[in-house]
Amino acid sequence: MTDIEKKPDRAPVPKEWTYAPAPESRDVVRLQERYGHFIAGEWVEPSDTYATISPASEETLATVGQGTQEDVDRAVAAARDAYANGWSSLPGSERAKYLFRIARILQERSREFAVLESLNGGKPIKESRDVDLPLAAAHFFYYAGWADKLEYAFPNRLPKPVGVAGQIIPWNFPLLMLAWKLAPALACGNTVVLKPAETTPLTALLFCDVLRQAELPPGVVNIVTGDGRTGAALVDHDGVDKIAFTGSTEVGKAIQRQLAGTGKKLTLELGGKAANIVFDDCALDQAVEGIVNGIYFNQGHVCCAGSRLFAQESIYEPLVEKLKRRLETLRVGDPLDKNTDVGAINSKMQLDRITELVEAGKEEGAEIYQPPCRLPEKGYWFVPTVFTNVAQSYRIAQEEIFGPVLSVLTFRTPEEAVEKANNTPYGLSAGVWTEKGSRILWMAQRLRAGVVWANTFNRFDPTSPFGGYKESGFGREGGRHGLEPYLRFEE
Ligand code: NAI
Ligand code: MG
């Protein structure tokens, strides 16, 4: 026993908890200087271009195409050609093979994609690595499984593909939104022209390499980059049979007006102002984690973010105190650092919008709390923010901020919670924190939201349908429901 050293009575107490930097290497990503549009399996030289940057450093990452009407015409023609000459008549089991291949390649190359996603969009690497990439692959796996079972999904309804789908996606989950859009469209036998968001085109362009690796027939997926003008040209195109859009309610409404009377199918996944409702019987520390995940995940650039916290009055004080303390431990900074919790705001434009709404909150009389926090000098950043003393009429309680900003409101009874939670033009998601199962069900029946999470928040799964009520849009993505927008039925 003598050679076993006795432990000192007390372990040394560290004086501070600073982390050493833990940067993920960028070397795994090989960027081209310039990218064209991906049409009919080939790179097409763009006639007009712009620079895409890293929002964390403002450095230019690459030059990409600003798609013109001619580019959109070519892409739609390529998609039509691929649809008519093979893809739509391929047996489902054959289409499934391509989707399975894409899913596996995404898994194999997930580190490369995760680094590029964080570089171009500003989200923390731990999120792109642990959320965006696994979920993107999971969507392809899931819809691959449906491709040869469509008749069983919709018995006696003779499901057939719709044709050419025009898909427009936002910048908050660039690759994941691409997967949500492409996987069901392809599984159902459609071909696609997809337009990524202007600030985050790079993972979609890298994905073209995956399509080639998977030997997907040319023209089945075409990618045209550019801003809203390119999107509008796609929406307007006569050769497109269906539009799927995720983005702002403002643009969603404009698209719906544009498509009225054209017979094109449409699904819209728009904004949100979700209520996260905390009852006094819940596990409070667990709820604090859920609140933090609900609003600070992805810098709050999440359409289903829990941006309105409703605290039952009896626990309001301890809840807010715990929340503030937790905020002090959030690490804001370099998206490629593995310890980062909150990364860069996606663009200057979005930062300005967040700043404007936060100023409005202060002016209207809400009380602001921001933990002490050193922000990098370059790039776009916003300190995680909590507003208390918020009235339902304030802009910060009504409008989607799409940033790391939480508004705290209170309630006394479940009835009051439901009434206040539903007092919004949106209806995408909601959260309920309580130990009582019966109360969860009671609340879920009354909350006008497409998804209601119980004792958790921001959980996604390809098998589960996602979509909105009211100004949050219509149509569902995910699950068996997510097939329907990409099918017509010959009943
Ligand atoms: P946006 O709706 O303008 O952009 C989303 C996509 O639509 C992008 O690909 C964009 O190029 C395209 N687009 C823009 N105008 C178009 C048009 N007229 N026709 C067809 N496509 C068009 O959103 P933006 O301006 O980037 O963000 C503004 C606000 O929208 C954010 O602050 C946030 O509140 C909300 N938003 C919501 C999203 C969601 O996931 N529901 C995603 C992005 C933004
Ligand atoms: Mg816009």
Side-chain angles (χ1 to χ4, degrees), residues 53-59 344-348 351 375-382:
I53 66 163
S54 156
S57 63
E58 299 174 54
E59 72 184 290
I345 298 303
N346 185 265
S347 65
K348 174 77 169 53
L351 180 59
L375 299 178
E377 271 167 25
K378 279 244 158 155
Y380 314 129
W381 309 94
F382 204 86

Side-chain angles (χ1 to χ4, degrees), residues 171 198 228 245 247-248 250-251 349:
W171 40 264
E198 52 270 43
F245 173 80
S248 64
E250 184 197 349
V251 173
M349 193 192 84

Side-chain angles (χ1 to χ4, degrees), residues 16 22 26 85 88 90 94 100 220 269 323 333 432 440 470:
E16 54 172 350
R26 281 170 66 153
N85 300 314
S88 61
L90 211 59
E94 290 301 311
F100 278 124
V220 173
E269 203 264 88
L323 185 62
V432 179
I440 291 170
K470 301 189 280 185

Side-chain angles (χ1 to χ4, degrees), residues 138-461:
H139 269 267
F140 281 105
F141 275 121
Y142 175 75
Y143 280 108
W146 274 123
D148 62 346
K149 302 176 194 69
L150 299 174
E151 302 96 282
Y152 305 103
F154 304 98
N156 304 318
R157 295 183 66 191
L158 300 175
K160 292 276 181 303
V162 173
V164 175
Q167 305 184 318
I168 297 163
I169 58 172
W171 40 264
N172 50 345
F173 295 91
L175 186 75
L176 184 57
M177 289 302 105
L178 171 147
W180 279 31
K181 296 277 182 286
L182 289 186
L186 300 183
C188 293
N190 303 278
T191 58
V192 171
V193 178
L194 179 133
K195 192 200 81 65
E198 52 270 43
T199 55
T200 53
L202 292 180
T203 46
L205 292 167
L206 183 62
F207 184 78
C208 299
D209 203 30
V210 172
L211 297 175
R212 280 186 167 176
Q213 232 180 313
E215 295 176 1
L216 190 78
V220 173
V221 172
N222 307 277
I223 294 186
V224 181
T225 55
D227 62 16
R229 290 167 292 173
T230 315
L234 184 57
V235 171
D236 208 25
H237 203 289
D238 286 342
V240 170
D241 302 295
K242 186 221 152 37
I243 292 290
F245 173 80
T246 299
S248 64
T249 294
E250 184 197 349
V251 173
K253 284 181 180 175
I255 291 177
Q256 196 175 5
R257 276 194 297 271
Q258 206 177 335
L259 291 191
T262 62
K264 283 182 203 167
K265 274 171 87 98
L266 173 65
T267 41
L268 295 174
E269 203 264 88
L270 310 174
K273 192 74 189 174
N276 206 357
I277 303 165
V278 181
F279 286 95
D280 61 7
D281 67 338
C282 78
L284 208 53
D285 290 306
Q286 209 176 307
V288 169
E289 290 310 304
I291 294 162
V292 167
N293 175 255
I295 186 66
Y296 304 113
F297 170 64
N298 201 31
Q299 296 74 246
H301 300 330
V302 183
C303 46
C304 52
S307 50
R308 289 181 302 154
L309 170 63
F310 287 97
Q312 196 158 22
E313 273 187 13
S314 41
I315 48 143
Y316 171 79
E317 271 162 33
L319 179 62
V320 168
E321 199 192 307
K322 277 175 187 283
L323 185 62
K324 286 180 177 173
R325 219 182 310 142
R326 178 67 176 85
L327 241 59
E328 287 170 17
T329 66
L330 287 181
R331 297 171 52 80
V332 184
D334 181 5
L336 285 183
D337 190 314
K338 292 171 209 152
N339 290 324
T340 293
D341 299 306
V342 178
I345 298 303
N346 185 265
S347 65
K348 174 77 169 53
M349 193 192 84
Q350 190 57 30
L351 180 59
D352 291 345
R353 182 176 158 74
I354 297 167
T355 309
E356 186 212 320
L357 278 160
V358 166
E359 286 308 313
K362 287 197 248 177
E363 271 163 38
E364 284 182 303
E367 197 176 303
I368 190 170
Y369 173 77
Q370 293 177 319
C373 185
R374 266 211 6 241
L375 299 178
E377 271 167 25
K378 279 244 158 155
Y380 314 129
W381 309 94
F382 204 86
V383 180
T385 301
V386 174
F387 274 114
T388 49
N389 255 333
V390 180
Q392 288 190 77
S393 58
Y394 291 179
R395 286 184 68 195
I396 53 168
Q398 289 288 329
E399 295 180 31
E400 183 176 52
I401 301 174
F402 226 63
V405 182
L406 178 67
S407 297
V408 187
L409 300 99
T410 59
F411 69 95
R412 289 183 189 175
T413 63
E415 289 79 6
E416 191 188 342
V418 168
E419 196 190 309
K420 286 183 168 174
N422 288 340
N423 180 17
T424 164
Y426 296 112
L428 197 53
S429 67
V432 179
W433 297 82
T434 171
E435 292 290 271
K436 290 196 184 72
S438 57
R439 181 177 282 164
I440 291 170
L441 296 175
W442 190 92
M443 293 291 292
Q445 278 171 347
R446 286 161 182 80
L447 290 168
R448 298 263 295 152
V451 179
V452 179
W453 284 294
N455 295 324
T456 187
F457 209 93
N458 273 344
R459 298 281 292 190
F460 302 98
D461 189 296

Side-chain angles (χ1 to χ4, degrees), residues 34-39 42-49 63 65 68 71 74:
R34 186 182 169 89
Y35 292 86
H37 306 296
F38 187 73
I39 300 176
E42 302 290 337
W43 290 109
V44 173
E45 184 57 29
S47 51
D48 194 5
T49 61
T63 299
T68 60
D71 297 323
R74 283 174 80 165

